[in-house]
Amino acid sequence: MLRYVVKRLLLMIPVIVGISFILFVIMDLTPGDPARSLLGEYARQEDVDALREEWGLNDPFAVRYGRYLASAIRGDFGKSYRTNIPVVQEIISRYPATMKVATLAILFAMAIGIPVGIISAVKQYSLVDFGSMATALLFTSVPPFWLGLMLILIFSLMLRLLPSVGTDSWKSFIMPAAALAAAQMATMTRMTRSTMLEVIRQDYIRTAKAKGASQRYVVLKHALRNALLPVVTVVGIGFGNLLGGSLIIENVFGISGLGTLMVNAVKSKDSPMLIASVMFAALVGGLVNLAVDVLYTYIDPRVRSQYVKG
Amino acid sequence: MTEQATVNPSNPVKKRSQLKAIWFRYRKNKLAMFGLALFLSLVLVAASSGLFLDYDTQVIEQRMRERLQPPSSEHWFGTDQYGRDVFARVVWGTRISLFVGVFTVTIALTVGTLFGALAGYYGGTVDNVLMRIMDIFLAMPGTILAVAIVGALGPGLVNVLLAMAIARIPQFARIVRSAIISIRGQEFIEAAKACGTRDGRIIMRHILPNAIGPIVVQVTLHMATTILGVAGLSFIGLGIEAPTPEWGSMLSEAKEWMRYHPYLMVFPGVAIILSVLSLNLIGDGLRDALDPRMKN
Amino acid sequence: MTGPRQQDSKFRERVKSMKRLTSLVAALLIMSLFLAACSGGATPETPPTGLEEGPKKDTIVERAVADQQTFDPFGTADINDQRIHYQIFDSLMRQEPDGSLVPALCTDYKFNETGDEITFTIREGVKFHNGDVMTADDVVFSLNTAIASGFTSKVTSTMDRAEKVDDKTVKLILKYPFAPILGCLVSSSCAIVPQKVYEADKDAFGRNPVGAGPYMLKEVKPGEKIVLEAFSDYYRGEAPIKNLVVRIIVDDAAALMALESGELDLMQPSQAYTDRDAIINNPNLVYYEAEQACTFLVAFNNVKGVFTDKRLREAVARAIDREELILGAVNGMATPVEAGLVPITPQYPHGFKGLEYDLEKAKQLVIDAGYPNGLDVTMRVIAAANYTKPAEVLQAQLKKIGINVKIEPMERGTWFDVAYAGGDYEMTFYAHAISVNDADFCSYPFLHSSEADGKGNNYMGIKNAELDECLEKARTSQDEAERKAYYLRACEIIRDESLFVPCYTGRRTMAAVKELKGVQADPWMRYYKYNYSW
């Protein structure tokens, strides 16, 4: 098991390095000059040149990338072109907001998706089932940013119940999380429903029922346990999606999290910031996936035996 | 019966009957049929909008004196901040979104299939190298990758299309690869190899047609996510250039008027939902129809 | 023709009927979309009330649109950063609420006879936030650091160097006589900083600034807020407002809601001017307006491309309907400008008429220029609403005379690099801004031939001998009437040659709760919170 985890962690390294390379290339192709962008319209050309020299922007691509890698290995990911603050520091200060929204969204999605999925499965072909499946389909088709705007319109502008932006209280996270959660909630509902249906038909459930166990007991004790496995996967994948999806939601709700940081970095050609933050997002995504895989083995003994073999 | 069909893929009669069976199963799915009907009507709207709308005088011409009017019999969806008719723009936007959806997926599919087929068929080093590169792309949040590419290429229809396509290549590569790996070992491929058929021919004639099921499903679902993605990019100002009536950019413009003219917000949003919903329904229906075991 | 005001009242009626529709839509949405979410505990029990408890009469909460990039006054050219610098740092000069310039950290200043040297007597006993007393060395160091910095050239480009005369006297030497120099010294880019602290660690200074201004930095929470507190040893006495909380709220609509609910005391409202009526109609709020210190204009590339042909430039000038442009671009909240200067400058020729709006003539000019079937041009603009929105209106207006404009929005830095500094554009929409209230600032740098070809700010590549002469004479003349005459002539040349098309000047706005005193809208966004009180 430990060997497996270590192997997976080691495999992440080339991916992260690859990301830095790809983004380095993309940012290199992007027109515009971060030095001029920072110095403003009235800057003298010599000042712009001096700053470019200071940042080492005048060296050839290979030299710049090599230098970046060399210092990244030593843990130095550079300073932001825009704020002159070490990018790692900036990422650490921005990350909690994004994390909170994503976590809350997953919690929303689970809190609603799993029970609704179970009910739909148990009452298959009922009106409830049809209704919740239709709602789920609708939710997967709603752009999160539009949903977010509609929530602002209703709950902030019209009902004045919730703050529409910022990160100062837990209330400010409700709407962004809800907007992000909608699609995940739908996936979760559908996934729970279909696995539950599969499980319900299996022999041991029938046996339990035949033995006179109550419907409720069978569903919660036997069926749900087995249905959870794919749901964990959805949580894992969903979490990764949420981190990426928060990009536009952060824009809607004015949250200065990781997504805003990335978009601004692209806009101001702040390569050190962009590369480090995308690497960071990828790292977190990778770790969550790994955690999900490890979690699998604890939920399902069959999976564990596979790892022992491999 | 599916087994029979897979073993003998180039037999046209069998193929047709397979398609028939799929269509038979699809037809029974009411939601899927609704999705198909919705999608076809959107295609119809897109195709016919050129007949009853004049782009220059009805979609993009500004009538400043008529700006920001609520919905009325004259302007069904109201007018925007430049006095343009929102109904005409939403209708015309169907063209843009469907076009972007179709072309993005076509590009991503073509390149992704190529990579996936190479990786899946040859395996070994080719597979390893290609798939590790795809892993790198997959590890990045798709939206930020698209944002960065648009940043490099500049905004505009073609560039947005390319950025979205590049961000989707790895996903198609993966699907095609796994489909191919599952087929690669089967007997009829071995047989074809034994007969000395060229690799390219085997991939094109024998493997891909059999992997088509999951690919078609992914194509529809990715068209849906592409429409959502492009709307998102346009919404943060990195999308298609003005004055093209793209739904996301219409929403972006509407945002600052949200408090005073909320109707501007509603119609483009509903248009996005309908088009994405139709594709999702079709994708789901197809998945069920292609693999009856999945259906409960 | 209806004015914006009349239209507004019409709209308000429509809005009423709209509200009914919206509540219907809302009800439907709540029911269908959010049935599930509500049961998930998404509804809060209490609506948000004012946030700080207890009497807050010595605190103001205001809004910033973005995080502070740096607190180093010489390390930024960003106007949003500078708004906080004006609270932390003082300079040699200060702008009073009435716009006049008075000595701040100096007690007296004297120009030499040729006007290219100023001698300052520095104020005695001024303390920095760390308790150190300001010395002549600090002043010399600060000025020279400002001059050397790449960020400050907007105001320091005419300065050569500063020298210490004695412990109480400092001399500033200019490159040439320059009348508006005192206005430059007001800027936070010429702030006075303690040499010891700044020199010890410039980067640390950018995070923990030490100035001689009325407020000290207390706390920074990125993405959330910046807290300043009054400096008790400030040389003019401690500020009436003891705590200054700057909350970062990116979204305009959200900020307005915060202001309405009492979470904010003060903010700059949406620059799209969409919220104006809502603020004016709110009995608890006051809306402050002032003209912007800039003129928005259509600029042509005079060096290469189609617009080297004067006929096409004139066609554009004659095809622009300023009223409509203002309506579409800034919701009607701007003043049309027809002369090529900034209207608030004392030298502006009021009543000046530009070329008459004449579509037929404009069409003919396009045909005469050799484009009977029209032509395609690209308009590169900064990707921000105050440039892209007017660009969209212009696109529609120019289409009528056969000029098909493709708008290419670029990120600010990219635009400066490619179009402004690189000269790679056909036409653009931009604003000539002044940092000092003098016509020189919106003419010479942008229009004089010596500033062209990448050497300065003449991004349009204008080279007109007569214009050059006007600008040179206006710059060095000490006679205001004479200067005005030169600038009038300059405006005529700009119009007759259609060198660019001035369009409008926008408005600086401020919204505050009505109890807050001392608030003003300032064209330069120099908001000295020292003047505020409850």
Side-chain angles (χ1 to χ4, degrees), chain C residues 78-90:
Chain C
D78 186 296
I79 195 156
N80 289 312
D81 273 7
Q82 289 174 346
R83 285 170 73 179
I84 290 187
H85 295 170
Y86 278 110
Q87 321 311 325
I88 298 176
F89 302 101
D90 267 21

Side-chain angles (χ1 to χ4, degrees), chain C residues 25-250:
Chain C
V25 171
L28 278 173
L29 268 165
I30 295 173
M31 281 180 0
S32 62
L33 294 183
F34 242 68
L35 208 65
C38 285
S39 62
T43 13
E45 316 76 48
T46 47
T49 46
L51 90 168
E52 262 107 50
E53 66 287 345
K56 58 165 197 173
K57 282 297 169 198
D58 58 354
T59 299
I60 42 182
V61 185
E62 68 157 332
R63 171 225 186 176
V65 289
D67 268 319
Q68 189 80 1
Q69 294 178 27
T70 177
F71 291 99
D72 178 354
F74 315 125
T76 184
D78 186 296
I79 195 156
N80 289 312
D81 273 7
Q82 289 174 346
R83 285 170 73 179
I84 290 187
H85 295 170
Y86 278 110
Q87 321 311 325
I88 298 176
F89 302 101
D90 267 21
S91 305
L92 287 174
M93 301 296 290
R94 181 177 75 241
Q95 181 189 317
E96 288 289 82
D98 64 6
S100 61
L101 306 178
V102 295
L105 295 183
C106 66
T107 47
D108 189 27
Y109 58 86
K110 229 166 49 206
F111 281 91
N112 68 351
E113 275 152 37
T114 47
D116 57 1
E117 271 181 32
I118 325 167
T119 312
F120 293 94
T121 313
I122 66 162
R123 194 176 287 275
E124 275 179 83
V126 171
K127 275 188 184 163
F128 288 115
H129 299 156
N130 63 358
D132 291 355
V133 174
M134 181 182 79
T135 64
D137 292 311
D138 291 325
V139 175
V140 171
F141 169 78
S142 301
L143 290 175
N144 284 332
T145 309
I147 293 166
S149 162
F151 291 95
T152 60
S153 16
K154 202 168 173 177
V155 289
T156 58
S157 61
T158 55
M159 302 178 193
D160 186 51
R161 64 186 190 279
E163 279 172 6
K164 179 177 168 180
V165 179
D166 57 47
D167 282 350
K168 280 161 56 179
T169 323
V170 168
K171 195 155 67 173
L172 178 64
I173 296 141
L174 305 180
K175 288 175 183 157
Y176 42 82
F178 187 61
I181 186 68
L182 290 175
C184 297
L185 289 163
V186 172
S187 166
S188 67
S189 292
C190 296
I192 305 301
V193 301
Q195 177 174 14
K196 248 196 321 191
V197 186
Y198 192 91
E199 263 182 340
D201 187 345
K202 195 173 117 181
D203 289 349
F205 191 91
R207 292 189 292 276
N208 301 300
V210 177
Y215 288 95
M216 302 187 285
L217 183 65
K218 192 176 166 194
E219 191 193 358
V220 181
K221 278 194 174 174
E224 207 173 303
K225 63 179 176 181
I226 298 160
V227 183
L228 305 174
E229 64 180 349
F231 171 45
S232 53
D233 278 343
Y234 184 52
Y235 78 96
R236 287 200 283 163
E238 195 177 329
I241 303 290
K242 306 298 176 210
N243 302 294
L244 204 58
V245 181
V246 184
R247 284 183 55 194
I248 291 130
I249 305 180
V250 184

Side-chain angles (χ1 to χ4, degrees), chain B residues 56 60-71 81-82 84 89 155 237-238 241-243 253 255-263 266-267, chain C residues 1-2 7 11 14-15 17-18 21-22 25 251 256-257 260 272 274-275 278 321 323-324 327-328 331 389 392-393 395-396 399 406-407 409 411:
Chain B
D56 283 348
I60 61 162
E61 197 186 52
Q62 304 182 349
R63 293 193 176 86
M64 218 52 91
R65 314 288 162 202
E66 295 173 28
R67 65 197 292 258
L68 298 169
Q69 289 181 8
Q81 57 178 339
Y82 303 123
R84 298 177 297 205
R89 291 178 69 73
L238 289 168
E241 64 271 66
E253 282 178 18
K255 193 188 167 206
E256 66 184 23
W257 300 99
M258 182 164 76
R259 179 168 171 165
Y260 312 100
H261 308 283
Y263 59 89
V266 174
F267 302 108
Chain C
M1 197 175 78
T2 40
Q7 279 207 334
F11 289 150
R14 293 202 187 102
V15 167
S17 68
M18 261 313 295
L21 186 108
T22 338
V25 171
D251 186 66
L256 179 59
M257 279 168 53
E260 287 168 334
T274 45
D275 300 324
D321 178 340
E323 294 270 334
E324 284 204 347
L327 218 44
N331 201 20
K389 281 172 74 175
E392 250 191 278
V393 183
Q395 182 182 47
K399 199 172 171 58
K406 181 179 181 294
I407 301 172
E411 286 315 321

Side-chain angles (χ1 to χ4, degrees), chain A residues 55-165:
Chain A
W55 285 341
L57 290 175
N58 294 331
D59 298 326
F61 178 84
V63 176
R64 276 182 292 136
Y65 185 62
R67 195 165 46 210
Y68 179 81
L69 272 190
S71 53
I73 286 166
R74 280 181 272 117
D76 174 12
F77 293 91
K79 284 179 179 176
S80 160
Y81 287 162
R82 243 178 82 232
T83 58
N84 211 25
I85 295 174
V87 290
V88 175
Q89 204 178 317
E90 195 105 344
I91 289 170
I92 289 170
S93 75
R94 300 302 191 93
Y95 191 54
T98 305
M99 200 65 179
K100 274 185 211 163
V101 176
T103 313
L104 200 58
I106 278 287
L107 290 179
F108 275 2
M110 290 201 300
I112 295 157
I114 295 177
V116 173
I118 293 174
I119 295 168
S120 293
V122 173
K123 312 216 159 165
Q124 198 185 359
Y125 301 131
S126 71
L127 206 62
V128 180
D129 180 28
F130 187 79
S132 55
M133 282 305 105
T135 316
L137 267 168
L138 193 64
F139 272 10
T140 40
S141 311
V142 176
F145 68 90
W146 186 78
L147 188 57
L149 289 169
M150 285 326 239
L151 292 178
I152 293 179
L153 184 65
I154 296 163
F155 290 100
S156 294
L157 287 173
M158 297 177 64
L159 303 176
R160 307 248 159 182
L161 282 175
L162 292 170
S164 66
V165 290

Side-chain angles (χ1 to χ4, degrees), chain A residues 15 18-19 22 26 30-31 124-125 137 141 143 145-146 149-150 153 160 190 201 244 247-248 251-252 262 278 282, chain B residues 136-137 139-141 143-144 148 151-152 228 232 235-236 251 258-259 265-266 269 272-273 276-277 280-281 284 296:
Chain A
V15 171
I19 288 176
I22 288 167
I26 293 177
T30 309
Q124 198 185 359
Y125 301 131
L137 267 168
S141 311
F145 68 90
W146 186 78
L149 289 169
M150 285 326 239
L153 184 65
R160 307 248 159 182
R190 296 171 57 175
R201 286 193 197 127
L247 212 103
I248 292 167
N251 175 293
V252 171
M262 290 185 204
V278 176
Chain B
I136 293 168
F137 276 95
M140 287 188 256
T143 322
I144 193 65
L228 279 180
F235 181 75
I236 57 172
L251 285 174
M258 182 164 76
R259 179 168 171 165
M265 206 83 243
V266 174
I272 299 177
I273 295 174
V276 175
L277 181 66
N280 277 338
L281 288 171
D284 274 8
N296 296 295

Side-chain angles (χ1 to χ4, degrees), chain C residues 256-368:
Chain C
L256 179 59
M257 279 168 53
L259 184 72
E260 287 168 334
S261 68
E263 288 171 65
L264 282 182
D265 299 314
L266 176 74
M267 67 176 271
Q268 176 171 295
S270 156
Q271 291 297 288
Y273 307 95
T274 45
D275 300 324
R276 188 172 181 270
D277 287 349
I279 299 168
I280 291 176
N281 294 334
N282 187 325
N284 300 319
L285 303 177
V286 184
Y287 191 72
Y288 300 90
E289 274 180 311
E291 271 192 353
Q292 266 178 331
C294 64
T295 288
F296 285 88
L297 58 114
V298 176
F300 305 108
N301 191 332
N302 281 267
V303 180
K304 58 181 182 198
V306 288
F307 289 108
T308 47
D309 186 335
K310 188 195 145 192
R311 285 170 296 193
L312 281 181
R313 298 199 302 265
E314 191 184 330
V316 171
R318 289 191 183 279
I320 294 175
D321 178 340
R322 288 185 176 82
E323 294 270 334
E324 284 204 347
L325 178 62
I326 290 169
L327 218 44
V330 286
N331 201 20
M333 296 304 138
T335 315
V337 174
E338 303 201 22
L341 297 172
V342 177
I344 57 167
T345 56
Q347 296 83 12
Y348 184 82
H350 290 279
F352 185 89
K353 283 279 160 223
L355 294 178
E356 213 173 323
Y357 177 76
D358 187 342
L359 275 189
E360 289 316 309
K361 185 149 190 199
K363 278 181 199 161
Q364 192 55 48
L365 281 163
V366 174
I367 294 167
D368 292 347

